[in-house]
């Protein structure tokens, strides 16, 4: 996996690195694209909150039991295997467009997340993961005293 | 799959015809279609659609699959980056066989619609015996 060193002094926007990371990943896999399917799977959307980040992804056909989600420091990984399509000699296929097989996607987050406070839900084929910044990592306001 | 932003090879966006009130874009859901014995099975991916918002109509031989998506907007959050777009789903098929409307089986689970369409008895191939005159 690609690792970017995140220097907090370099940028004002903590999410700039994340966007850069995503575009770098997209470029990296651009050549390996197969017809009808994007190279980075699954597609994810990110939402930013005060001290948290929320990710959504469309994973139709999976269940909450067969998605494996891991969070470590600033890395989030989603791994899953889609159920085997039906097979049989008496089966005549007309169209086969749905995603098959398994995937692993690793996403670099803009800050460390508290692994104890990750809230993941799966509803109607959409995965929602809400991650909180650990209290110790939150930026602290420093009061300036007049001398 | 509403993967319109990521896929360039195929056009995933369907235009809703004559439906002026809903300006939201609609996506073409990915489908698997196979036949087993006398039943045609259609499996369509419609992530983000609640089971009650799926609408399947069969008029003569035209089968229309529709799914309505309530846009997701978490409170206290602002959109940061998006690799996929969200919208309704629509796909229309013309079936080649007459379907037994009473025996259609539809199930919706985890964002996937599964339709079982059994062929009606009248259209099953009949053997015609040729009598010698």
């Amino acid at each position: 996996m690609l690792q970017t060193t995140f220097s907090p002094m370099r940028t004002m926007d903590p999410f700039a690195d994340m966007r850069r990371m995503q575009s770098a990943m997209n470029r990296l896999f651009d050549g390996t694209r197969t017809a009808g399917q994007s190279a980075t799977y699954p597609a994810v959307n990110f939402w930013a909150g005060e001290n948290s980040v929320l990710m959504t992804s469309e994973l139709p056909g999976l269940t909450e039991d067969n998605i494996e989600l891991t969070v470590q420091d600033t890395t989030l990984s989603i791994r899953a295997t889609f159920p085997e399509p039906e097979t049989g000699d008496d089966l005549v296929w007309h169209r086969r467009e749905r995603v098959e097989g398994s995937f692993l996607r690793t996403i670099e987050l803009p800050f460390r997340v508290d692994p104890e406070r990750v809230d993941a839900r799966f509803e109607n084929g959409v995965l929602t993961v809400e991650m909180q910044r650990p209290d110790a990592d939150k930026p602290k306001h420093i009061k300036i005293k007049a001398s | 799959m509403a993967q319109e932003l990521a896929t360039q090879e195929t056009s995933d966006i369907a235009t809703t015809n004559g439906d002026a009130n809903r300006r939201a874009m609609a996506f073409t859901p990915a489908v698997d279609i196979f036949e087993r014995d006398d039943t045609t099975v259609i499996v369509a991916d419609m992530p983000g659609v609640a089971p009650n918002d799926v609408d399947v109509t069969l008029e003569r031989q035209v089968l229309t699959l529709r799914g309505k998506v309530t846009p997701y907007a978490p409170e206290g959050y602002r959109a940061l980056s998006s690799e996929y777009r969200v919208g309704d789903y629509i796909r229309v098929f013309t079936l080649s066989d007459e379907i037994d409307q009473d025996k259609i089986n539809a199930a919706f689970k985890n964002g996937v619609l599964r339709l079982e369409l059994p062929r009606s008895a009248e259209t099953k191939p009949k053997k015609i015996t040729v009598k010698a005159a």
Side-chain angles (χ1 to χ4, degrees):
Chain A
M1 231 35 252
L2 280 178
Q3 294 286 335
T4 44
T5 42
F6 182 70
S7 76
M9 302 302 277
R10 203 177 58 216
T11 167
M12 297 300 285
D13 182 4
F15 297 108
D17 251 14
M18 190 162 95
R19 283 194 291 269
R20 209 172 303 135
M21 180 69 198
Q22 279 180 346
S23 62
M25 288 296 283
N26 290 345
R27 262 200 312 280
L28 188 67
F29 290 112
D30 229 17
T32 59
R33 184 199 295 272
T34 50
Q37 200 180 321
S38 76
T40 27
Y41 187 89
V44 294
N45 283 359
F46 271 95
W47 305 76
E50 190 82 22
N51 275 305
S52 55
V53 67
L54 194 144
M55 188 209 78
T56 59
S57 186
E58 295 183 329
L59 300 166
L62 291 175
T63 62
E64 52 269 34
D65 299 323
N66 55 25
I67 301 171
E68 197 190 310
L69 202 68
T70 44
V71 175
Q72 197 188 19
D73 291 334
T74 59
T75 322
L76 169 79
S77 300
I78 321 163
R79 186 201 295 266
T81 305
F82 283 93
E84 286 283 315
E86 274 162 86
T87 47
D89 293 336
D90 54 341
L91 226 70
V92 183
W93 282 93
H94 293 288
R95 264 170 218 265
R96 208 162 172 170
E97 303 168 352
R98 298 175 63 240
V99 179
E100 293 172 18
S102 58
F103 67 83
L104 164 67
R105 185 164 179 193
T106 309
I107 300 152
E108 195 79 4
L109 301 166
F111 46 70
R112 279 200 326 129
V113 294
D114 193 341
E116 303 299 318
R117 287 192 295 156
V118 177
D119 180 38
R121 271 159 291 155
F122 190 70
E123 199 185 4
N124 295 327
V126 180
L127 174 72
T128 311
V129 186
E130 196 174 5
M131 291 158 280
Q132 304 288 335
R133 205 167 179 167
D135 291 327
D137 279 16
K138 279 180 193 165
K140 279 188 192 76
H141 279 284
I142 292 144
K143 213 168 177 180
I144 300 163
K145 281 172 264 179
S147 61
Chain B
M1 248 185 330
Q3 259 209 344
E4 188 265 328
L5 280 183
T7 44
Q8 261 108 55
E9 280 86 2
T10 51
S11 152
D12 267 351
I13 302 179
T15 45
T16 39
N17 227 346
D19 207 352
N21 292 328
R22 281 189 73 86
R23 302 273 312 165
M25 71 170 72
F27 294 93
T28 309
V31 293
D32 279 358
I33 303 178
F34 59 87
E35 233 175 283
R36 175 182 273 154
D37 302 326
D38 287 325
T39 308
T40 304
V41 181
I42 299 181
V43 187
D45 282 345
M46 293 183 176
V49 178
N52 289 334
D53 292 333
V54 185
D55 180 45
V56 182
T57 50
L58 179 64
E59 201 183 340
R60 289 185 173 268
Q61 251 123 291
V62 179
L63 178 78
T64 309
L65 315 178
R66 269 200 192 87
K68 223 169 84 187
V69 174
T70 316
Y72 178 69
E75 214 168 300
Y77 282 93
R78 62 184 171 89
L80 187 66
S81 71
S82 82
E83 294 178 353
Y84 69 90
R85 279 197 270 176
V86 174
D88 295 349
Y89 299 94
I90 184 160
R91 194 147 182 184
V92 184
F93 294 103
T94 310
L95 304 171
S96 51
D97 297 307
E98 201 71 54
I99 299 297
D100 194 337
Q101 303 232 10
D102 300 327
K103 285 188 192 152
I104 294 178
N105 209 338
F108 191 79
K109 208 177 146 198
N110 291 323
V112 181
L113 171 72
R114 189 191 164 96
L115 273 178
E116 283 172 19
L117 310 156
R119 214 178 292 169
S120 66
E122 296 93 78
T123 50
K124 279 178 191 162
K126 260 175 248 152
K127 199 167 180 154
I128 295 151
T129 39
V130 180
K131 282 171 257 178

